[in-house]
């Protein structure tokens, strides 16, 4: 399977700042990348789906101007949380797949804490 | 009612016991995934299946498409199996995954 990394693994920031999270597919051409959010003791919730070179498709209730997703290459996608607030504190996980019907390989996640 | 329901929510077992986690879903699917989430949060994909049964080491996953039900079995459980096990379905309408709420498994030595 694919090896997926995320950076940083943990980040603490002040309210109002922006945070960028990277998701890299180390050995796999990831035509599709998914971003999930997981609040404590809850299941993963899909935030958005991005295809390389295209704009991301956001799930209902996810603000695209707040959660900026860039999928510029087959090995890198970034999620930028703009003007972060304490309620954005969560565990953010990316996954990659080769195409829309392939299995998904998950990154290790990034824990964001907004003070 | 959630589209994907898992049972039990919490499970405590003694080392060596046979463990079963169940997943029921209500939508049409093209595949079902079993995931393992470690205490630190990292997620590992254990199985993806669309029919029948798959085995990997001490783990066995089965699915019954007609009954919309899947089970994950762990034989000879070990404390290192302690984790959250998540069932996720891939709907036939696309690749989007819908997740169950997870089963917290604790295996005591």
């Amino acid at each position: 399977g694919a090896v997926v990394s995320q950076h940083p693994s943990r980040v603490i920031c002040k309210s109002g700042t922006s945070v960028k999270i990277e998701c890299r597919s180390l050995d796999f051409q990831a035509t599709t990348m998914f971003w999930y959010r997981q609040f404590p003791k809850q299941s993963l919730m899909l935030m958005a789906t991005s295809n390389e070179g295209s704009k991301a498709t956001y799930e209902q209730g996810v603000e695209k101007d707040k959660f900026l997703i860039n999928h510029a290459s087959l090995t890198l996608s970034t999620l930028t949380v703009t003007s972060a607030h304490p309620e954005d504190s969560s565990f953010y996980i990316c996954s990659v797949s080769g195409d829309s019907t392939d299995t998904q390989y998950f990154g290790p996640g990034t824990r964001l804490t907004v003070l | 009612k959630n589209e994907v329901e898992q049972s039990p929510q919490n499970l405590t077992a003694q080392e060596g016991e046979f463990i079963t986690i169940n997943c029921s879903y209500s939508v049409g699917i093209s595949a079902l995934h079993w995931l393992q989430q470690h205490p630190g949060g990292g997620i590992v994909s254990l199985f993806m299946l669309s029919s029948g049964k798959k085995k990997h080491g001490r783990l066995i996953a089965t699915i019954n498409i007609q009954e919309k039900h899947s089970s994950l079995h762990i034989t000879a459980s070990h404390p290192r199996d302690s984790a959250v096990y998540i069932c996720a379905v891939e709907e036939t309408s696309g690749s989007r995954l819908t997740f169950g709420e997870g089963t917290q498994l604790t295996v005591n030595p």
Side-chain angles (χ1 to χ4, degrees):
Chain A
V3 177
V4 182
S5 70
Q6 282 185 237
H7 178 80
S9 57
R10 288 179 180 270
V11 57
I12 300 172
C13 68
K14 291 183 179 179
S15 185
T17 61
S18 293
V19 175
K20 181 185 282 189
I21 302 169
E22 291 186 351
C23 175
R24 289 185 184 272
S25 174
L26 301 181
D27 58 353
F28 185 80
Q29 302 289 291
T31 54
T32 305
M33 286 187 167
F34 304 85
W35 285 97
Y36 297 91
R37 180 168 54 183
Q38 184 181 38
F39 292 108
K41 298 193 183 300
Q42 294 187 25
S43 190
L44 289 81
M45 295 295 295
L46 180 65
M47 298 177 67
T49 303
S50 72
N51 292 298
E52 185 260 339
S54 303
K55 288 185 179 179
T57 301
Y58 289 80
E59 294 299 302
Q60 193 172 12
V62 178
E63 300 174 55
K64 63 180 181 180
D65 293 331
K66 180 170 179 62
F67 298 98
L68 303 178
I69 291 172
N70 183 284
H71 187 173
S73 77
L74 290 172
T75 59
L76 174 65
S77 176
T78 60
L79 167 67
T80 302
V81 183
T82 62
S83 188
H85 288 277
E87 57 264 32
D88 298 325
S89 298
S90 186
F91 192 59
Y92 292 87
I93 304 169
C94 73
S95 72
V96 308
S97 73
D99 58 44
S100 63
T101 60
D102 207 347
T103 193
Q104 293 186 29
Y105 302 96
F106 289 83
T110 296
R111 189 162 301 282
L112 170 64
T113 303
V114 184
L115 302 177
Chain B
K1 190 176 182 345
N2 292 335
E3 291 179 341
V4 182
E5 295 202 335
Q6 288 183 235
S7 63
Q9 284 187 311
N10 294 282
L11 180 58
T12 301
Q14 287 299 121
E15 184 173 357
E17 286 185 359
F18 180 83
I19 287 162
T20 297
I21 300 171
N22 296 299
C23 175
S24 296
Y25 53 93
S26 58
V27 296
I29 69 169
S30 57
L32 182 143
H33 300 248
W34 280 103
L35 311 171
Q36 180 191 53
Q37 186 170 28
H38 294 286
I43 291 178
V44 174
S45 180
L46 298 175
F47 295 103
M48 183 182 75
L49 62 165
S50 54
S51 65
K53 174 180 173 179
K54 285 191 176 180
K55 184 176 188 292
H56 185 252
R58 294 180 295 107
L59 303 178
I60 303 167
T62 64
I63 188 169
N64 185 317
I65 296 293
Q66 286 74 29
E67 294 186 4
K68 295 189 174 177
H69 181 268
S70 175
S71 293
L72 175 68
H73 305 285
I74 305 176
T75 61
S77 59
H78 191 275
R80 63 173 175 267
D81 297 327
S82 298
V84 175
Y85 292 83
I86 302 169
C87 169
V89 300
E90 194 169 324
E91 297 182 29
T92 49
S93 58
S95 59
R96 174 198 172 122
L97 290 180
T98 302
F99 296 85
E101 294 191 353
T103 295
Q104 173 70 61
L105 171 65
T106 304
V107 182
N108 294 318

